[in-house]
Amino acid sequence: MRRHLVKRSRFSVKWFILSVTLLFFLVPRVGAGRVVDGIFLTVNGEGITFSEFREFVAGRLGISVGDADSYLRKIDSEEKLRPLLDDFINVTLVRVKLKELGESVSDEEVERVIDGIVRENNITREQFRKALEREGLTYEGYRERLREDMEKSRLVRALRGKEVLVTDDEVREYYVSNRDRFLVGYEATFDLLSVNLSQARDRVGPAALREVLARLEDAARKGEHVSSLAEMLKERGIQPEVSSMGPVAEGDLRGELKEAVGELRPGETSSSIVLGENLVFISLREKKGGRPLPFDEVKEKIREELVGKRSLAAVREIIKDLREKALIRVNL
């Protein structure tokens, strides 16, 4: 007899693991070990199939659906599953809420945004796909992450639109307090970590690589030096290169590297930067000289940054509220 576990807000991952295990062993299989699909999770009345979760995992890890199926079969602990499951529930809650509001993001809208990205970069769809592959992403995974970003943005506009607006006075105040983030003509000394994505992917596989890169991003946000990030990679059998650079004149820096160094303060570490086949992190040691750009040249960039920060905070608050009120059912 089918049992039901009903619980407000978070539900036990152990129950989820049990439900997946039962699906693997009790449901008849088809072909090469594939699970016959069925509803295993209901969020606010919205039925979620196992294949939907499997496709979500494939996109998150940048692997095929078949590899995601194998990956899920090998999960042996709550710790490994929880981040994926939490993300999946959050995405589902946002999607269900947008559906209630009549504000769902359509496939056509997502494709139009991708068309715009392709045009702006003057490349073909095929070149775009290959560029994603070099970064360890699948086109399908990228498209779903883009959809999620669009959904979060739309939800914020619908529920907290006025709260994320930024006044001219707030923009100017930020500029005055952070002039050192808008310098030109400076010299910078920094440490740079570089890892070849293709070699790393061949070494540990796409799923493990995505997992370790997520850990690196988290460590960088916390301000850990690139030497610590390098040790994390070495623990997984990936050999990065770490080098000291500088002093380097601001005018000799290019593209995203220049932007990242310009925004850093001494002791801070950048988020990841893709340079060709390599993924790069920077820890700034020193920045000398330079002058701040005029306010009028950076005010819109500042406004965009502040709106982005407020929108991110609003999304977190909305999702927290949705989770507290959610009715989640796991079908065993």
Side-chain angles (χ1 to χ4, degrees):
M1 181 176 179
R2 184 182 295 272
R3 292 186 295 152
H4 300 284
L5 172 68
V6 180
K7 188 174 181 180
R8 291 283 177 183
S9 186
R10 291 180 179 272
F11 64 90
S12 171
V13 176
K14 293 179 181 178
W15 279 106
F16 172 79
I17 293 174
L18 177 57
S19 71
V20 173
T21 302
L22 289 175
L23 280 171
F24 285 148
F25 290 102
L26 300 183
V27 179
R29 299 166 185 249
V30 177
R34 285 300 179 89
V35 177
V36 175
D37 213 5
I39 301 295
F40 81 97
L41 176 67
T42 306
V43 179
N44 290 344
E46 190 79 11
I48 310 297
T49 64
F50 179 75
S51 67
E52 289 177 90
F53 179 61
R54 184 171 53 202
E55 289 169 7
F56 172 85
V57 172
R60 273 292 188 271
L61 300 180
I63 58 180
S64 69
V65 173
D67 287 341
D69 191 72
S70 299
Y71 179 81
L72 287 170
R73 291 173 186 271
K74 295 175 182 177
I75 287 180
D76 57 3
S77 72
E78 179 176 331
E79 180 183 1
K80 292 180 181 178
L81 183 63
R82 180 172 290 280
L84 288 170
L85 186 56
D86 276 347
D87 277 354
F88 183 63
I89 291 175
N90 290 345
V91 169
T92 302
L93 286 169
V94 169
R95 202 158 285 172
V96 170
K97 186 62 178 180
L98 284 174
K99 186 176 180 180
E100 291 175 3
L101 296 171
E103 294 282 354
S104 297
V105 175
S106 67
D107 292 341
E108 291 74 16
E109 289 176 289
V110 177
E111 290 299 326
R112 281 199 295 271
V113 172
I114 294 177
D115 285 338
I117 294 171
V118 169
R119 283 196 304 272
E120 287 177 11
N121 288 276
N122 195 30
I123 57 176
T124 65
R125 280 279 182 138
E126 185 59 29
Q127 289 172 323
F128 182 61
R129 285 176 178 269
K130 289 181 178 179
L132 291 174
E133 289 173 3
R134 287 196 297 270
E135 296 183 29
L137 301 170
T138 63
Y139 175 79
E140 293 74 19
Y142 175 84
R143 183 179 58 197
E144 285 309 303
R145 291 302 290 264
L146 176 60
R147 181 195 300 276
E148 291 167 25
D149 287 343
M150 293 172 66
E151 288 172 335
K152 290 175 182 177
S153 178
R154 186 165 295 183
L155 191 61
V156 169
R157 286 201 306 271
L159 300 181
R160 304 283 183 89
K162 294 181 179 180
E163 297 177 24
V164 301
L165 296 179
V166 177
T167 67
D168 292 341
D169 287 343
E170 288 173 321
V171 173
R172 184 171 289 279
E173 182 180 343
Y174 184 87
Y175 172 76
V176 171
S177 302
N178 297 273
R179 290 177 187 270
D180 55 342
R181 293 190 184 276
F182 307 104
L183 296 176
V184 291
Y186 60 81
E187 287 188 340
T189 303
F190 54 91
D191 298 314
L192 183 146
L193 177 150
S194 178
V195 57
N196 185 283
L197 289 171
S198 296
Q199 293 177 5
R201 188 164 51 249
D202 292 342
R203 177 77 175 176
V204 301
L209 178 60
R210 297 294 293 175
E211 182 181 331
V212 72
L213 292 183
R215 289 180 57 209
L216 293 183
E217 290 285 2
D218 185 56
R221 279 194 297 270
K222 294 176 181 176
E224 293 194 31
H225 191 269
V226 293
S227 58
S228 297
L229 274 58
E231 290 304 315
M232 293 169 62
L233 288 167
K234 291 175 183 177
E235 288 173 2
R236 300 301 295 268
I238 301 171
Q239 294 299 319
E241 294 183 8
V242 178
S243 53
S244 295
M245 311 291 290
V248 180
E250 178 260 344
D252 292 333
L253 297 170
R254 295 288 183 272
E256 291 186 65
L257 193 64
K258 180 176 182 177
E259 184 176 349
V261 173
E263 293 179 353
L264 289 175
R265 286 173 169 159
E268 294 180 341
T269 297
S270 71
S271 57
S272 61
I273 306 164
V274 177
L275 298 178
E277 293 283 338
N278 297 321
L279 194 72
V280 170
F281 290 87
I282 297 167
S283 291
L284 183 66
R285 281 195 276 146
E286 187 178 37
K287 192 184 290 182
K288 287 185 176 181
R291 59 178 177 78
L293 287 166
F295 174 70
D296 286 343
E297 290 187 26
V298 297
K299 63 181 181 181
E300 291 310 315
K301 179 181 178 180
I302 294 173
R303 188 185 306 277
E304 183 179 320
E305 180 180 340
L306 294 179
V307 168
K309 288 180 178 178
R310 289 187 181 180
S311 296
L312 182 59
V315 165
R316 288 171 176 163
E317 290 175 3
I318 291 170
I319 290 177
K320 180 181 178 182
D321 183 60
L322 291 175
R323 290 195 73 132
E324 289 174 350
K325 297 176 180 177
L327 181 63
I328 298 173
R329 181 189 295 266
V330 181
N331 299 315
L332 301 181

